[in-house]
Amino acid sequence: MNPNAPLIILKRRLIILIASALTASACLQAQQLTTSGTFLDVFSPEVPVGVTVGQGVSHTFDSNLKNGVPGDVSVTRLETTVSYRKAWEQNRLNVTFNYEYSDYDWSGGAPRFFGDTNSLSLNAIYQYQFDDSDWGAYMIGTVNLGAESGDVSLTSGDSYVASVGASYEFFKGFTLSFGALFISNPEQANQYWPVAFIDWRINEYLTLRTFNGATLVYDVFADTETVLDFTVQYNSRVVRLNAQPVPAVGPGNYNPAMEEESVSASAGVTHKFGGPFYVRGYVQGDFFREFEFRAGGNKYQTIKADPGISL
């Protein structure tokens, strides 16, 4: 008998207890390291091969508005994700479809800047490793449709992201990828950026990944059954709003575009309960939060908010 067996059993029970407590006090969430479509997720080898369906809910508590704007804002999000992942030899394909409903609550005397929103996104990432070589290549494509509920169509809030590049494995478990990134958002000029990111399997327990942020993953038993993660990343959501007057831009009504930006820091745990079922709980802090409004190709208003806590 393994002399460490009692310690391992105790360790497993403690981790499962933590996962259950986080899930009970927070929410079921198909977020990082499961099936969500962020770049840090879709590169994740922890995502199971095949088809995965995730259903989640999260809530960001009230945060005071800044810039002299009275009141506060909170938001509840519902998310459904379907992900298909195929891996063969050293190649990987991940296609993710995501639907997100966000219910914004403006309270404490705050103006109702916009109502609830809906977003559909399709992400595809392909990674190719050349035979008998440390070199590889990748391709990324993302289409996002987002709009406020009402008289505006989802297709009017279309955003696109594309990236192509090469990767090089400097030593076993450490890969550096680099390339070019294209971003297109409503009411904004197209953006082109150089990009570089790493995927570093430090050992059988620890993995570090970067892209629009960084995630440190701790696989507690080196079997992907219980995974802890610590993430810092940049977030951006863009939606088209209902028709409204925008005096700062000109006479008449416009359908402005709203971009919600933040930097988040989170800690989470994902546990597989046997078969295909897993649960993730997490706590997240959102910083540098702001809502930018654009119409006629011009930014006419920025609303900032204090840091918020999400579960």
Side-chain angles (χ1 to χ4, degrees):
M1 179 179 178
N2 184 346
N4 295 321
L7 180 60
I8 293 174
I9 293 173
L10 177 61
K11 188 179 182 183
R12 285 180 181 268
R13 289 178 177 174
L14 285 173
I15 294 298
I16 292 174
L17 179 61
I18 293 172
S20 301
L22 277 173
T23 303
S25 63
C27 320
L28 294 178
Q29 177 72 351
Q31 280 261 354
Q32 292 137 358
L33 310 178
T34 53
T35 62
S36 188
T38 72
F39 288 118
L40 288 178
D41 302 334
V42 290
F43 274 105
S44 168
E46 286 81 18
V47 177
V49 173
V51 177
T52 307
V53 179
Q55 179 64 54
V57 58
S58 66
H59 180 74
T60 302
F61 294 94
D62 285 339
S63 296
N64 292 330
L65 300 175
K66 301 168 70 173
N67 293 13
V69 179
D72 45 52
V73 61
S74 64
V75 58
T76 299
R77 303 189 197 278
L78 304 176
E79 182 182 31
T80 300
T81 304
V82 180
S83 178
Y84 171 74
R85 178 171 180 262
K86 179 178 176 62
W88 63 101
E89 297 179 353
Q90 298 187 60
N91 304 315
R92 282 186 284 173
L93 171 68
N94 190 306
V95 179
T96 302
F97 172 81
N98 191 78
Y99 166 73
E100 182 182 80
Y101 169 80
S102 299
D103 182 16
Y104 293 86
D105 181 19
W106 307 92
S107 57
R112 189 175 184 271
F113 292 101
F114 54 90
D116 54 316
T117 64
N118 298 274
S119 295
L120 295 175
S121 65
L122 180 65
N123 306 307
I125 292 186
Y126 176 64
Q127 294 170 283
Y128 178 79
Q129 189 71 31
F130 296 104
D131 293 336
D132 301 321
S133 174
D134 294 324
W135 286 95
Y138 75 89
M139 294 182 291
I140 298 172
T142 297
V143 178
N144 185 80
L145 306 177
E148 182 181 9
S149 298
D151 59 10
V152 63
S153 67
L154 277 174
T155 54
S156 66
D158 53 332
S159 301
Y160 306 92
V161 175
S163 181
V164 294
S167 61
Y168 184 79
E169 187 176 30
F170 283 86
F171 53 86
K172 186 173 178 59
F174 182 89
T175 299
L176 171 67
S177 300
F178 51 92
L181 179 68
F182 166 77
I183 301 174
S184 175
N185 286 327
E187 306 292 350
Q188 298 184 46
N190 294 336
Q191 302 177 56
Y192 304 87
W193 297 94
V195 64
F197 51 97
I198 66 171
D199 189 343
W200 182 15
R201 185 173 177 82
I202 301 170
N203 55 44
E204 62 179 331
Y205 298 99
L206 284 173
T207 300
L208 175 66
R209 272 189 303 279
T210 68
F211 195 94
N212 58 321
T215 291
L216 181 65
V217 180
Y218 177 54
D219 189 347
V220 179
F221 308 107
D223 59 2
T224 71
E225 181 180 288
T226 302
V227 177
L228 307 180
D229 63 271
F230 307 90
T231 301
V232 177
Q233 67 178 355
Y234 166 77
N235 308 289
S236 174
R237 292 177 173 84
V238 181
V239 297
R240 184 72 73 172
L241 303 182
N242 289 325
Q244 56 191 271
V246 185
V249 177
N253 287 337
Y254 293 82
N255 289 104
M258 186 281 297
E259 182 177 14
E260 179 183 359
E261 297 179 286
S262 67
V263 175
S264 64
S266 65
V269 56
T270 302
H271 183 75
K272 295 180 181 178
F273 286 92
F277 182 68
Y278 61 83
V279 171
R280 170 175 163 78
Y282 76 101
V283 60
Q284 175 175 295
D286 296 306
F287 306 91
F288 308 105
R289 301 176 64 200
E290 60 182 39
F291 304 87
E292 293 186 342
F293 298 83
R294 294 179 173 88
N298 298 307
K299 180 169 66 174
Y300 66 89
Q301 187 175 27
T302 299
I303 303 298
K304 297 186 178 182
D306 284 338
I309 298 296
S310 299
L311 294 176

